[in-house]
């Protein structure tokens, strides 16, 4: 499939997310709160009526302030999404490992966090007391090959090398799954090589690797620079409508203050819906936190993601089940783990 086909598909999926979100939501009219300055036309699907807490509640939300896909969450504070729900949210910029982040949530050093499901699942298998309350969007991951190289489809990567920044990264996990489905054993047929993110393009140009995988903005920039072409993404085949990023909350907070968790989750999803309708505003607001990016770049990347797609309740459990089942096939999740029981254990419907 050509670059044009894939990029067009990503944009069509993004637009489809907007359309489906608007068609599937049960209520019309603006959020029933006088302070709802962002004018979200309706609450995200599956989250019920607008939730405003009776008393202010302080929370710490761990995020990567430089991750473009989290731009809606980052700007949610300034746009009033949290305060509309009577939430006083402190954003904690978390640059440590996923295990440390999940430990921080599990031990209450942070109340919640947003990150990639395929990064969290192996760590959650170890028993962290963290529950997933929603999938926020899809489309963060890309697999690229050299523009002038001979790799044009996944099957061409058999016996080849792929550059990654981390052996436990979500992109390595996802594209391992996809390669396996296309007859390429990601453990035995492919060599994964480590490079710093800013050297992936150089490694590709020099022929040290035949493909590279990662997330935006690095992957987006490699395509725009003409160095690489898009070979695949996490918006293909049965994964087209799956969330890649999720909201995780300390289990204690879920058990003791479910309505607070519901309000926080709803605010985060509202911010993502807002980004679908107002990507330029989100991109502008993100500039206060972003490094080495531009409004135009952030806006283009947001268009490539499916920020209008959210999974909660049974839909979230099903999406997580899909990932867990697939991760077992590529030897990431333990053989002894029951996918359905694990998916039920780590997801929670805070809106029921």
């Amino acid at each position: 499939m050509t670059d044009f086909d894939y990029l067009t598909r990503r944009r069509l999926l993004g637009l489809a997310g907007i359309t489906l979100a608007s068609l599937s939501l049960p209520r019309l009219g603006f959020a029933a709160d006088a302070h709802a300055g962002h004018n979200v036309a309706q609450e995200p699907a599956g989250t019920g009526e607008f939730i405003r807490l009776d008393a202010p509640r302080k929370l710490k939300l761990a995020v990567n302030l430089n991750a473009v896909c989290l731009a809606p969450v980052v700007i949610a504070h300034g746009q009033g999404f949290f305060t509309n729900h009577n939430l006083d949210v402190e954003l904690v910029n978390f640059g440590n490992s996923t295990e440390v982040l999940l430990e921080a949530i599990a031990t209450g050093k942070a109340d919640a966090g947003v990150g990639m499901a395929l990064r969290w699942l192996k760590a959650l298998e170890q028993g962290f007391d963290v529950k997933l309350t929603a999938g926020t969007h899809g489309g963060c991951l890309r697999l690229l090959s050299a523009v002038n190289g001979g790799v044009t489809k996944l099957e061409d990567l058999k016996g080849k090398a792929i550059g990654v920044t981390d052996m436990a990264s979500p992109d390595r996990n996802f594209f391992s799954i996809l390669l396996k489905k296309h007859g390429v054993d990601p453990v035995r047929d492919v060599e994964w090589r480590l490079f710093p993110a800013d050297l992936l393009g150089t490694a590709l140009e020099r022929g040290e690797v035949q493909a590279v995988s990662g997330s935006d903005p690095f992957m987006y920039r490699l395509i725009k620079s003409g160095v690489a072409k898009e070979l695949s993404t996490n918006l293909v085949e049965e994964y087209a409508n799956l969330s890649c990023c999720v909201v995780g909350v300390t289990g204690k907070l879920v058990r003791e203050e479910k309505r607070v968790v519901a309000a926080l989750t709803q605010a985060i999803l509202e911010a993502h819906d807002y980004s679908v309708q107002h990507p330029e505003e989100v991109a502008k607001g993100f500039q206060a936190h972003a490094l080495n990016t531009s409004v135009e770049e952030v806006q283009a990347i947001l268009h490539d993601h499916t920020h209008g797609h959210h999974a909660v309740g049974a839909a979230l459990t099903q999406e997580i089940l899909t990932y867990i089942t697939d991760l077992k096939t590529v030897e990431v999740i333990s053989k002894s783990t029951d996918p359905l029981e694990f998916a039920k254990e780590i997801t929670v419907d805070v809106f029921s």
Side-chain angles (χ1 to χ4, degrees):
M1 189 174 287
T2 66
D3 305 341
F4 177 79
D5 290 333
Y6 268 117
L7 289 170
T8 300
R9 177 172 172 74
R10 289 175 70 91
R11 293 193 179 279
L12 285 174
L13 283 167
L15 291 172
I18 300 172
T19 304
L20 288 173
S22 62
L23 289 177
S24 62
L25 298 179
R27 298 194 300 113
L28 296 177
F30 294 100
D33 181 77
H35 303 288
H38 51 76
N39 288 336
V40 173
Q42 54 238 323
E43 297 315 309
T47 68
E49 297 295 317
F50 180 83
I51 302 169
R52 181 173 173 83
L53 302 178
D54 295 332
R57 183 64 163 85
K58 289 187 176 183
L59 293 173
K60 289 185 177 181
L61 179 65
V63 296
N64 181 349
L65 292 178
N66 297 316
V68 174
C69 71
L70 298 185
V73 181
V74 174
I75 64 92
H77 193 281
Q79 292 287 344
F81 287 96
F82 295 128
T83 55
N84 289 339
H85 293 268
N86 217 0
L87 292 167
D88 181 3
V89 174
E90 176 187 351
L91 296 181
V92 181
N93 192 11
F94 219 95
N96 291 310
S97 69
T98 294
E99 289 75 12
V100 176
L101 169 59
L102 289 174
E103 182 180 3
I105 299 173
T107 57
K109 294 175 184 176
D111 298 292
V114 184
M116 289 188 170
L118 285 168
R119 182 88 192 198
W120 286 16
L121 291 176
K122 182 60 182 178
L124 287 175
E125 189 186 24
Q126 310 307 310
F128 287 111
D129 187 20
V130 175
K131 304 300 180 185
L132 307 182
T133 65
T136 60
H137 68 277
C140 291
L141 308 176
R142 305 184 198 246
L143 178 67
L144 313 181
S145 60
V147 169
N148 298 318
V151 175
T152 60
K153 58 185 184 299
L154 292 171
E155 290 80 359
D156 294 337
L157 287 172
K158 189 170 186 176
K160 302 295 196 302
I162 302 174
V164 293
T165 60
D166 184 346
M167 288 300 181
S169 64
D171 52 281
R172 183 180 186 271
N173 286 339
F174 178 77
F175 292 115
S176 291
I177 292 169
L178 208 57
L179 285 167
K180 184 80 171 181
K181 289 180 179 289
H182 284 257
V184 181
D185 190 318
V187 178
R188 299 162 187 84
D189 292 342
V190 172
E191 180 184 356
W192 301 88
R193 296 181 181 174
L194 283 172
F195 294 90
D198 57 353
L199 292 182
L200 285 174
T202 301
L204 192 62
E205 285 186 293
R206 291 178 176 175
E208 297 176 45
V209 294
Q210 286 69 56
V212 296
S213 71
S215 56
D216 295 325
F218 290 106
M219 296 296 103
Y220 176 83
R221 290 171 183 169
L222 286 179
I223 295 173
K224 293 293 289 184
S225 70
V227 169
K229 59 185 177 182
E230 193 168 81
L231 185 63
S232 190
T233 77
N234 62 333
L235 288 179
V236 298
E237 301 171 14
E238 64 263 48
Y239 306 99
N241 294 308
L242 265 63
S243 309
C244 59
C245 286
V246 292
V247 179
V249 183
T250 172
K252 183 176 185 292
L253 190 63
V254 169
R255 290 186 292 273
E256 296 180 0
E257 298 183 80
K258 185 178 177 181
R259 185 169 171 79
V260 170
V261 177
L264 175 66
T265 304
Q266 193 176 64
I268 291 171
L269 298 186
E270 285 173 356
H272 280 276
D273 280 348
Y274 179 82
S275 75
V276 174
Q277 298 179 30
H278 307 282
E280 185 176 2
E281 292 303 313
V282 172
K284 287 178 179 177
F286 187 62
Q287 295 307 300
H289 307 277
L291 296 175
N292 303 318
T293 188
S294 66
V295 171
E296 292 74 21
E297 180 179 71
V298 174
Q299 189 173 350
I301 291 172
L302 290 176
H303 274 303
D304 276 359
H305 298 169
T306 56
H307 289 274
H309 169 80
H310 319 303
V312 297
L316 175 63
T317 302
Q318 184 58 50
E319 290 192 7
I320 295 301
L321 173 60
T322 297
Y323 284 139
I324 294 170
T325 302
D326 287 344
L327 286 174
K328 288 190 71 172
T329 70
V330 294
E331 304 176 26
V332 173
I333 295 294
S334 302
K335 292 181 179 179
S336 60
T337 296
D338 183 298
L340 181 57
E341 289 304 312
F342 182 32
K344 288 181 177 179
E345 176 187 345
I346 63 175
T347 58
V348 61
D349 183 359
V350 295
F351 300 105
S352 63

